[in-house]
Amino acid sequence: MQVELSGKVIVITGAARGIGATAAILAAESGAEALVLTDRDPIGTECPCPVETVAADLSDPAAAGAIIDAATARFGRVDGLLNAAGVTTRAGFDDATPDGFDRIMAINTRAPFFLMARAIADMTGRGAPGSIVNIQSMNAHCGPPNLAVYSASKAAVATLTKAAANAHMADRIRVNGINLGWVDTETERHLHDVQMEKGAGWLAAQGAMQPIGRFVSQEDTARHCVWLLSDASAPMSGVSVDLEQWVVGAPPR
């Protein structure tokens, strides 16, 4: 099975670091014709293909349109979209605020919805197929109390993934998601090591206790993203893959 993206223009959000940056490099190495990389932070990712970078804050309602417009202005089309950006802000029933709730939903749910809408409009306008991948979360099944709002935002994306797949199956536009569990990323290490002051060795120790002896990595995730963006995963659509080491519904070990 050949997993490659030859001739495809791919838009990737959250491309400054972590899963987005890793997926961008792998997409380019897999033959993508061009990439449109966006983040609110500076993007230093180096890829062996033409790249358009777009500085955008996804909490801004205008961001989704600006990103897709930049893609079509530079490369004429969008063939694939990876919604990798998101925030994991802690907020539950005992401490969430209306403003905080709205910000989480704006970044994690509203922005992916309108990015999908604009990408789909480009694809259907050209009568062309396409593929969209949404980074979701195992927390969409429920999630811990202090991630209640985050969990709800990702559950909404999981539903929107299926809704988009159902609406555009006949248009040959495939839409799939990846429910991630605990992934070892730069953001996760900074959160636990620095912000939560648990120390540099804490996250590695937690990884060693996982069933396979390590966390799922951003490289693991990037491979799944590129596979789902590629024709190798066709005709799969409307699927949310649980990329985790704990099986939902299984008794605790």
Side-chain angles (χ1 to χ4, degrees):
M1 179 177 65
Q2 186 70 25
V3 178
E4 53 93 32
L5 297 174
S6 296
K8 298 184 186 298
V9 176
I10 308 293
V11 176
I12 300 177
T13 71
R17 64 181 62 83
I19 292 167
T22 305
I25 294 168
L26 185 57
E29 292 174 348
S30 300
E33 179 179 318
L35 298 176
V36 178
L37 306 181
T38 181
D39 204 295
R40 65 183 179 184
D41 297 322
I43 298 172
T45 308
E46 296 184 5
C47 299
C49 70
V51 173
E52 178 78 6
T53 60
V54 182
D57 184 340
L58 295 183
S59 66
D60 180 353
I67 292 165
I68 301 302
D69 285 348
T72 56
R74 172 77 186 274
F75 301 116
R77 68 187 190 280
V78 173
D79 300 305
L81 166 65
L82 170 59
N83 279 313
V87 292
T88 56
T89 307
R90 269 60 178 165
F93 288 95
D94 56 349
D95 61 356
T97 65
D99 286 346
F101 184 101
D102 289 347
R103 177 172 173 78
I104 293 170
M105 289 294 178
I107 295 171
N108 288 0
T109 307
R110 186 182 68 196
F113 176 89
F114 285 104
L115 281 159
M116 285 194 288
R118 290 295 302 271
I120 289 168
D122 173 70
M123 295 166 186
T124 56
R126 294 181 291 110
S131 182
I132 296 172
V133 179
N134 294 318
I135 295 296
Q136 300 166 183
S137 173
M138 292 296 293
N139 288 308
H141 295 294
C142 181
N146 68 340
L147 285 175
V149 180
Y150 168 79
S151 301
S153 73
K154 290 298 187 176
V157 174
T159 298
L160 291 172
T161 295
K162 292 181 179 295
N166 178 61
H168 296 285
M169 191 79 70
D171 295 319
R172 299 172 297 149
I173 298 171
R174 300 185 302 109
V175 189
N176 294 290
I178 301 175
N179 286 331
L180 291 179
W182 207 349
V183 180
D184 184 1
T185 64
E186 299 164 57
T187 300
E188 193 71 11
R189 288 194 293 272
H190 185 266
L191 171 66
H192 291 283
D193 296 353
V194 180
Q195 290 180 263
M196 300 180 73
E197 300 180 342
K198 294 181 178 179
W202 185 86
L203 195 64
Q206 295 298 308
M209 292 189 290
Q210 302 301 305
I212 65 172
R214 66 172 179 84
F215 286 122
V216 171
S217 69
Q218 55 196 36
E219 289 77 17
D220 295 329
T221 308
R223 286 196 302 274
H224 281 75
C225 290
V226 170
W227 173 65
L228 287 171
L229 286 168
S230 78
D231 294 339
S233 59
M236 189 168 77
S237 192
V239 173
S240 290
V241 178
D242 286 350
L243 185 57
E244 172 63 300
Q245 300 179 48
W246 310 96
V247 178
V248 175
R253 290 176 289 177

